[in-house]
Amino acid sequence: EYVNMRLVQILDEDADFSGDAVDTNGNGDDEAADRTVRTDTAGNAAYVQVTFTMGPQYQPNMQSGGLIPLDSVRAGMGTFFDEVNAAGKLEHLCQEYDDATDNEAIGLTYDGGSGNSRGEKGTYNLLVGQPCGPQASMCASPDTVPDQFVSFNIPLGFEVFDGQASNDLSNNIFVDLVVNALDTEATGTPNNGADPQQMKTRLTASIPIVAGGVNIFCDG
């Protein structure tokens, strides 16, 4: 039903901000007083959060891939969905993330920018898991939906949003996934398949990358 998206960026927390104050200029004050704006965002982690609501009669279909089958989740960057899809730039990021070990690379291949989006899963998880950040779980399909609200995070990789903001909405993050549920009020087998009451729908959504439109954590 209701669908929303959010872009999230987590910086590598600056130890100078979180530790003891340092007198950097010899005038008796400290760095915490001198520096209030962080300019270096190198190595930041990025993900897109997709949230949506479900009717109270729907429950995750745990018999067939769960509510959001990971092999159905695709994401990519570009101007128009059809162009990105036709070019094969919607990537199976959750399947890759789920299969990868900590020292294997994850993230967008076609990032449209610096080309630094891919990096080790272990490094990515350390950034996302910092106490200063949201500590969100990636690609976690819920087993239950007690409040009919679903939140799902897709890892995009590193430095994905850097230099990508545009006022003409030419740079967008696209998401395409399957919602796989059971309708507890339905009768019969609407899909004539092995899963009674199975209801599937494809969710396709997008969000533009604009100045001020990214939620930034651990920026000092």
Side-chain angles (χ1 to χ4, degrees):
E1 296 182 5
Y2 177 76
V3 179
N4 189 35
M5 296 178 68
R6 184 169 74 132
L7 302 178
V8 182
Q9 181 183 69
I10 306 100
L11 279 58
D12 188 3
E13 186 178 25
D14 189 337
D16 289 336
F17 280 95
S18 59
D20 294 334
V22 178
D23 183 6
T24 57
N25 54 18
N27 65 1
D29 57 9
D30 56 50
E31 183 179 7
D34 287 344
R35 294 178 56 192
T36 58
V37 178
R38 183 187 190 131
T39 58
D40 185 9
T41 64
N44 65 80
Y47 69 88
V48 58
Q49 180 188 60
V50 182
T51 59
F52 58 91
T53 58
M54 298 170 50
Q57 74 272 28
Y58 295 111
Q59 297 297 327
N61 185 356
M62 302 310 296
Q63 303 174 32
S64 178
L67 182 65
I68 303 174
L70 297 189
D71 60 359
S72 77
V73 179
R74 301 185 301 159
M77 179 190 294
T79 303
F80 300 107
F81 176 85
D82 288 345
E83 291 180 357
V84 175
N85 188 35
K89 295 182 179 181
L90 285 175
E91 305 178 56
H92 291 272
L93 299 179
C94 275
Q95 188 68 70
E96 177 185 64
Y97 180 88
D98 191 53
D99 292 341
T101 62
D102 280 351
N103 61 352
E104 290 181 321
I106 63 165
L108 287 171
T109 302
Y110 305 100
D111 63 0
S114 65
N116 295 325
S117 293
R118 294 185 62 77
E120 291 186 356
K121 176 182 176 180
T123 301
Y124 182 90
N125 286 343
L126 287 174
L127 285 168
V128 174
Q130 293 177 102
C132 55
Q135 302 182 44
S137 297
M138 296 295 117
C139 302
S141 178
D143 295 339
T144 61
V145 191
D147 56 0
Q148 287 82 57
F149 181 81
V150 178
S151 177
F152 188 79
N153 302 310
I154 303 172
L156 299 176
F158 300 85
E159 302 181 10
V160 174
F161 309 132
D162 292 7
Q164 296 301 310
S166 62
N167 294 327
D168 59 1
L169 309 184
S170 59
N171 289 332
N172 303 275
I173 296 294
F174 297 101
V175 169
D176 182 69
L177 55 83
V178 169
V179 179
N180 179 34
L182 294 177
D183 185 345
T184 60
E185 297 179 358
T187 58
T189 55
N191 293 328
N192 294 319
D195 295 321
Q197 302 174 321
Q198 176 175 278
M199 301 295 290
K200 285 187 176 181
T201 187
R202 178 181 173 185
L203 186 156
T204 301
S206 66
I207 182 171
I209 307 172
V210 296
V214 177
N215 295 264
I216 302 175
F217 291 87
C218 305
D219 58 346

